[in-house]
mmCIF file with all atom_site columns, all heavy atoms in Angstrom:
data_model
loop_
_atom_site.group_PDB
_atom_site.id
_atom_site.type_symbol
_atom_site.label_atom_id
_atom_site.label_alt_id
_atom_site.label_comp_id
_atom_site.label_asym_id
_atom_site.label_entity_id
_atom_site.label_seq_id
_atom_site.pdbx_PDB_ins_code
_atom_site.Cartn_x
_atom_site.Cartn_y
_atom_site.Cartn_z
_atom_site.occupancy
_atom_site.B_iso_or_equiv
_atom_site.pdbx_formal_charge
_atom_site.auth_seq_id
_atom_site.auth_comp_id
_atom_site.auth_asym_id
_atom_site.auth_atom_id
_atom_site.pdbx_PDB_model_num
ATOM 1  N N   . LEU A 1 82  ? 18.654 7.370   -9.867  1.00 91.00 ? 82  LEU A N   1
ATOM 2  C CA  . LEU A 1 82  ? 17.819 8.529   -9.544  1.00 91.00 ? 82  LEU A CA  1
ATOM 3  C C   . LEU A 1 82  ? 18.307 9.788   -10.205 1.00 91.00 ? 82  LEU A C   1
ATOM 4  O O   . LEU A 1 82  ? 17.543 10.670  -10.527 1.00 91.00 ? 82  LEU A O   1
ATOM 5  C CB  . LEU A 1 82  ? 17.762 8.683   -8.006  1.00 91.00 ? 82  LEU A CB  1
ATOM 6  C CG  . LEU A 1 82  ? 16.877 7.756   -7.259  1.00 91.00 ? 82  LEU A CG  1
ATOM 7  C CD1 . LEU A 1 82  ? 16.985 7.979   -5.775  1.00 91.00 ? 82  LEU A CD1 1
ATOM 8  C CD2 . LEU A 1 82  ? 15.423 7.904   -7.675  1.00 91.00 ? 82  LEU A CD2 1
ATOM 9  N N   . TRP A 1 108 ? 24.234 2.516   7.510   1.00 87.00 ? 108 TRP A N   1
ATOM 10 C CA  . TRP A 1 108 ? 24.072 2.133   8.954   1.00 87.00 ? 108 TRP A CA  1
ATOM 11 C C   . TRP A 1 108 ? 22.583 1.931   9.219   1.00 87.00 ? 108 TRP A C   1
ATOM 12 O O   . TRP A 1 108 ? 22.232 0.948   9.895   1.00 87.00 ? 108 TRP A O   1
ATOM 13 C CB  . TRP A 1 108 ? 24.653 3.224   9.776   1.00 87.00 ? 108 TRP A CB  1
ATOM 14 C CG  . TRP A 1 108 ? 24.496 2.997   11.247  1.00 87.00 ? 108 TRP A CG  1
ATOM 15 C CD1 . TRP A 1 108 ? 25.161 2.182   12.054  1.00 87.00 ? 108 TRP A CD1 1
ATOM 16 C CD2 . TRP A 1 108 ? 23.449 3.553   12.069  1.00 87.00 ? 108 TRP A CD2 1
ATOM 17 N NE1 . TRP A 1 108 ? 24.686 2.192   13.324  1.00 87.00 ? 108 TRP A NE1 1
ATOM 18 C CE2 . TRP A 1 108 ? 23.612 3.005   13.395  1.00 87.00 ? 108 TRP A CE2 1
ATOM 19 C CE3 . TRP A 1 108 ? 22.409 4.430   11.862  1.00 87.00 ? 108 TRP A CE3 1
ATOM 20 C CZ2 . TRP A 1 108 ? 22.773 3.390   14.401  1.00 87.00 ? 108 TRP A CZ2 1
ATOM 21 C CZ3 . TRP A 1 108 ? 21.570 4.773   12.887  1.00 87.00 ? 108 TRP A CZ3 1
ATOM 22 C CH2 . TRP A 1 108 ? 21.761 4.216   14.202  1.00 87.00 ? 108 TRP A CH2 1
ATOM 23 N N   . ARG A 1 127 ? 8.999  -20.885 17.028  1.00 60.00 ? 127 ARG A N   1
ATOM 24 C CA  . ARG A 1 127 ? 7.620  -21.149 17.374  1.00 60.00 ? 127 ARG A CA  1
ATOM 25 C C   . ARG A 1 127 ? 6.848  -21.849 16.292  1.00 60.00 ? 127 ARG A C   1
ATOM 26 O O   . ARG A 1 127 ? 5.763  -22.325 16.471  1.00 60.00 ? 127 ARG A O   1
ATOM 27 C CB  . ARG A 1 127 ? 6.936  -19.796 17.655  1.00 60.00 ? 127 ARG A CB  1
ATOM 28 C CG  . ARG A 1 127 ? 7.448  -19.172 18.907  1.00 60.00 ? 127 ARG A CG  1
ATOM 29 C CD  . ARG A 1 127 ? 6.604  -17.986 19.230  1.00 60.00 ? 127 ARG A CD  1
ATOM 30 N NE  . ARG A 1 127 ? 7.519  -16.859 19.433  1.00 60.00 ? 127 ARG A NE  1
ATOM 31 C CZ  . ARG A 1 127 ? 7.305  -15.599 19.174  1.00 60.00 ? 127 ARG A CZ  1
ATOM 32 N NH1 . ARG A 1 127 ? 6.135  -15.301 18.686  1.00 60.00 ? 127 ARG A NH1 1
ATOM 33 N NH2 . ARG A 1 127 ? 8.170  -14.697 19.380  1.00 60.00 ? 127 ARG A NH2 1
#
Side-chain angles (χ1 to χ4, degrees):
L82 284 174
W108 176 81
R127 291 187 233 150

